[in-house]
Amino acid sequence: MSATEIREHFPTFEKELIDDIEAKSEIRSFTAGEQLMRTGQYFKSTMLIVEGLVKVYREDDQGNEFFMYYLQPGQACALSMVCAVKQETSQIMAKAVKDTEVISIPLAYMDEWMGKYKSWYHFVLETYRARFEELLVTIDHIAFRAMDERLEFYLKKHVQTLGSKIIPISHQEIADELNSSREVISRLLKKMEQLGKVKLQRNSIEVIHLS
Amino acid sequence: MSATEIREHFPTFEKELIDDIEAKSEIRSFTAGEQLMRTGQYFKSTMLIVEGLVKVYREDDQGNEFFMYYLQPGQACALSMVCAVKQETSQIMAKAVKDTEVISIPLAYMDEWMGKYKSWYHFVLETYRARFEELLVTIDHIAFRAMDERLEFYLKKHVQTLGSKIIPISHQEIADELNSSREVISRLLKKMEQLGKVKLQRNSIEVIHLS
DNA sequence: GGAACAATGTGACAAAAGTCATAGACCAGG
DNA sequence: CCTGGTCTATGACTTTTGTCACATTGTTCC
């Protein structure tokens, strides 16, 4: 990936940093559906998302999953960064939702660049802050909200992230991601449809008006 | 606070860093029950816990609270650190559970010391990692576990943190912290008592044997 | 067009959690 | 000792969520 392309996606990076990234990182591609990270996997690099969309979620020992947030182009995975200090294993799952391209940076440079490039330091700190906030929002929703509200929030987030009011997803998939049951999701969606908030189609949901 | 005392509580800090902390920070004391941080409050400093115990929790707009984790001596608040980049407001509540003493460090030094002292850099990164992990564990418990399991985990955590099998707490307080109802907590505790896991007294719970 | 399969809707029922009401026990202060 | 207040136990009932079972609908492939 050329310096121009890196600058395009990460406009706050200083020139010398971009040159370093160009020289020392590699580009990796993942097709939609492919895993980027698995729970228990050792980190060797940190990833900056360039194209595509990555879903980050938790998985329990029964294989149940719980969606946390998306990583979009211009963002990075905070957990791979924060684990540079110790040889730590991943505590999250990350999967490409769309065909995805990432800049893979060996963890050794994390340390080095933090001291060397102000723009890298700020990018990393901002990444931590943003991910902390995502985690806190996630906690809020499961701690303080009922499933119907959580479902609305989930749909809203999808509209924002995907940039489309039509979400191609089945009720079962939503149930999986919210760690609920398909019937509950179907019923809540049906209720929302009756309230004019959404329009249901097979394998997709059109969001009409959510508050 | 003298250099000796700082070194005692934060043994990984290099000498020059300790001298800087000694020169530029201030010691603040909070009595049990006092707030250290409120949602919406601006950060002016970051805090290292020296003595006591601090409870970190989320509060929703109805005043419902949700316990997340404790900060013990030798630990720091990751969120105050991560907000050094921007003028951000607190998204958490923090309250002294015991009489507490903290080293309060102006946020300006966060930036400076990250580049200047390796031991500070590592301490900060480790703080982020540890707090990320706490948040992920919290999410796991509310996403994947029922209230009885969450209650057991909550009690276990208290035993570990307080270093005593006797937890001085009322059912209502537990209900508040887990954002549940007092009756549910009472019933679950009664069940646990019948299983020989705990012994209930008024305003306190003795943990006998939790897995 | 028919078969197979997956997605969705829905009824019945169960379990978990929450609310309301009330009674009994315990503790502190006068 | 008595009173007031708080903590705890518990029953009745409601709501939310989940499970099971089955039917209907839609899509794809032969």
Side-chain angles (χ1 to χ4, degrees):
Chain A
M1 176 168 292
S2 73
T4 306
E5 281 174 290
I6 298 174
R7 192 182 307 113
E8 211 173 272
H9 291 107
F10 302 94
T12 59
F13 286 2
E14 57 204 277
K15 179 183 167 11
E16 290 79 13
L17 170 60
I18 290 173
D19 291 341
D20 246 359
I21 293 175
E22 194 181 17
K24 289 162 184 169
S25 64
E26 69 183 37
I27 303 300
R28 300 180 64 193
S29 293
F30 301 88
T31 58
E34 217 177 329
Q35 290 286 142
L36 283 78
M37 274 181 243
R38 289 178 195 280
T39 302
Q41 184 175 321
Y42 279 91
F43 284 111
K44 300 204 203 66
S45 57
T46 190
M47 294 192 257
L48 313 188
I49 317 296
V50 170
E51 292 289 343
L53 189 65
V54 174
K55 176 178 80 171
V56 176
Y57 60 104
R58 275 298 251 181
E59 197 172 84
D60 77 355
D61 41 21
Q62 255 78 246
N64 298 313
E65 73 175 70
F66 184 80
F67 168 79
M68 289 191 292
Y69 50 79
Y70 283 117
L71 291 178
Q72 301 176 239
Q75 293 179 341
C77 173
L79 275 165
S80 60
M81 289 175 160
V82 86
C83 293
V85 178
K86 292 163 83 170
Q87 275 296 305
E88 287 283 350
T89 59
S90 177
Q91 295 168 71
I92 56 166
M93 306 285 279
K95 183 193 285 189
V97 174
K98 296 180 179 175
D99 290 352
T100 293
E101 209 168 57
V102 305
I103 302 176
S104 184
I105 300 171
L107 286 183
Y109 297 114
M110 273 288 312
D111 252 8
E112 187 185 320
W113 293 351
M114 284 290 273
K116 202 168 169 185
Y117 301 118
K118 205 72 183 169
S119 59
W120 178 253
Y121 172 82
H122 283 130
F123 176 76
V124 170
L125 263 287
E126 172 58 23
T127 297
Y128 293 159
R129 194 201 60 76
R131 296 296 93 73
F132 259 113
E133 191 176 318
E134 296 267 13
L135 291 183
L136 290 177
V137 167
T138 299
I139 286 174
D140 276 3
H141 278 93
I142 40 180
F144 297 126
R145 302 294 170 83
M147 188 59 76
D148 55 351
E149 288 176 291
R150 289 178 54 209
L151 178 56
E152 286 202 28
F153 180 77
Y154 174 88
L155 293 177
K156 249 165 51 183
K157 197 161 190 170
H158 270 70
V159 168
Q160 288 165 16
T161 303
L162 299 176
S164 163
K165 290 174 142 299
I166 310 225
I167 308 168
I169 196 167
S170 70
H171 300 186
Q172 183 62 60
E173 277 176 282
I174 298 176
D176 289 341
E177 302 210 315
L178 299 181
N179 196 35
S180 178
S181 74
R182 196 273 302 160
E183 291 90 338
V184 168
I185 300 300
S186 292
R187 285 186 167 111
L188 291 177
L189 284 171
K190 188 79 182 188
K191 226 184 329 192
M192 283 169 74
E193 189 179 45
Q194 285 161 354
L195 291 174
K197 297 182 173 188
V198 298
K199 187 165 186 294
L200 301 180
Q201 293 119 19
R202 187 180 171 94
N203 273 322
S204 80
I205 297 165
E206 182 182 348
V207 174
I208 309 285
H209 176 68
L210 298 180
S211 56
Chain B
M1 180 169 290
S2 73
T4 306
E5 280 173 289
I6 298 172
R7 192 181 308 113
E8 211 173 274
H9 292 107
F10 301 94
T12 59
F13 286 1
E14 57 203 276
K15 181 179 162 15
E16 289 79 12
L17 171 59
I18 289 173
D19 292 341
D20 247 356
I21 292 175
E22 196 182 14
K24 291 164 179 167
S25 65
E26 70 184 37
I27 304 300
R28 300 179 64 193
S29 295
F30 302 87
T31 59
E34 220 178 324
Q35 289 287 141
L36 282 77
M37 275 181 241
R38 290 178 194 279
T39 303
Q41 181 175 324
Y42 279 93
F43 283 112
K44 301 202 200 64
S45 58
T46 190
M47 293 190 260
L48 314 189
I49 316 297
V50 170
E51 292 290 341
L53 189 65
V54 174
K55 175 178 79 173
V56 176
Y57 58 104
R58 274 298 250 179
E59 199 173 78
D60 76 356
D61 42 21
Q62 256 76 247
N64 298 312
E65 74 176 67
F66 185 79
F67 168 80
M68 288 194 291
Y69 49 80
Y70 283 117
L71 292 178
Q72 301 176 238
Q75 293 179 340
C77 173
L79 275 165
S80 61
M81 290 174 159
V82 87
C83 295
V85 178
K86 292 163 83 169
Q87 274 297 304
E88 286 283 348
T89 60
S90 177
Q91 295 170 70
I92 55 167
M93 305 287 280
K95 184 191 286 186
V97 174
K98 296 179 178 176
D99 291 350
T100 294
E101 208 168 57
V102 305
I103 302 177
S104 183
I105 300 172
L107 286 182
Y109 297 115
M110 272 288 312
D111 252 7
E112 186 185 321
W113 292 351
M114 285 290 274
K116 198 168 170 185
Y117 301 118
K118 205 74 186 171
S119 59
W120 178 253
Y121 172 82
H122 283 132
F123 176 76
V124 170
L125 263 288
E126 174 58 22
T127 297
Y128 293 160
R129 196 203 57 77
R131 295 294 95 71
F132 261 113
E133 192 176 318
E134 296 269 14
L135 292 184
L136 291 177
V137 168
T138 298
I139 286 175
D140 277 4
H141 279 92
I142 40 182
F144 297 126
R145 302 295 169 84
M147 189 59 76
D148 56 349
E149 286 177 290
R150 290 178 54 210
L151 178 56
E152 284 202 29
F153 179 78
Y154 175 88
L155 293 178
K156 247 165 51 183
K157 197 159 188 171
H158 270 69
V159 167
Q160 287 165 16
T161 304
L162 300 175
S164 162
K165 291 174 140 307
I166 311 228
I167 309 168
I169 196 167
S170 70
H171 300 187
Q172 184 62 59
E173 277 177 280
I174 298 176
D176 288 341
E177 303 210 311
L178 299 182
N179 196 36
S180 179
S181 73
R182 198 271 306 158
E183 292 90 337
V184 168
I185 299 300
S186 291
R187 288 186 168 113
L188 292 177
L189 285 171
K190 187 79 180 186
K191 225 185 329 190
M192 282 169 74
E193 189 179 45
Q194 286 162 354
L195 291 174
K197 296 182 176 188
V198 299
K199 186 164 185 299
L200 303 179
Q201 293 118 20
R202 187 180 169 98
N203 275 320
S204 80
I205 296 166
E206 181 183 349
V207 174
I208 309 285
H209 175 66
L210 296 180
S211 56

